[in-house]
């Protein structure tokens, strides 16, 4: 079955960096678009970044453009989110997502940006 497992979250000071990872299994990873979403307390889940199966197309939410970078390693079945210049408003649970006939989500990883 499809499994997505996020890691790499934590507590970081404003201006700092984190790299999230999402290890995928149970499907042909290299064929599918992957996405990162986030959900802050009291807010709806929002799309942060998208990467096509061959990494040629990458899209970002306006709020993270120029600070976050999505990438993938198809040999390792893993998608990454490099987050730089972090701000308190980036605090959220970050989720990995793909659509393989149905929507699949990981369990999420908490990112807290605070001094």
């Amino acid at each position: 079955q499809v499994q997505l497992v996020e890691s790499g979250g934590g507590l970081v000071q404003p201006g700092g960096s984190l790299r999230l990872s999402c290890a995928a299994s149970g499907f042909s990873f290299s064929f599918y678009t992957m996405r990162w979403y986030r959900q802050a307390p009291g807010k709806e889940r929002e799309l942060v970044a998208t990467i096509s199966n061959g990494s040629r197309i990458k899209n970002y939410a306006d709020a993270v453009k120029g600070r976050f970078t999505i990438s993938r390693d198809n040999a390792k079945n893993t998608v990454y989110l490099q987050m730089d210049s972090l701000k308190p408003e980036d605090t959220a649970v970050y989720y990995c997502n793909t659509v393989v006939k149905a929507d699949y989500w990981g369990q999420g990883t908490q990112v807290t940006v605070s001094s």
Side-chain angles (χ1 to χ4, degrees), residues 35-49:
R35 299 172 186 84
W36 284 99
Y37 283 78
R38 68 184 182 186
Q39 188 166 20
K43 295 190 176 181
E44 292 190 355
R45 192 170 296 190
E46 64 173 347
L47 179 62
V48 174

Side-chain angles (χ1 to χ4, degrees), residues 7-76:
S7 61
L11 173 64
V12 63
Q13 292 188 341
S17 297
L18 282 175
R19 189 174 85 149
L20 305 183
S21 300
C22 171
S25 61
F27 65 106
S28 298
F29 179 80
S30 63
F31 288 3
Y32 291 90
T33 293
M34 298 297 297
R35 299 172 186 84
W36 284 99
Y37 283 78
R38 68 184 182 186
Q39 188 166 20
K43 295 190 176 181
E44 292 190 355
R45 192 170 296 190
E46 64 173 347
L47 179 62
V48 174
T50 302
I51 186 167
S52 62
N53 61 329
S55 301
R56 188 170 64 89
I57 300 172
K58 301 177 184 181
N59 292 304
Y60 299 92
D62 287 344
V64 307
K65 209 169 286 184
R67 300 188 297 120
F68 290 12
T69 303
I70 190 170
S71 62
R72 64 191 295 162
D73 185 337
N74 285 345
K76 294 183 179 180

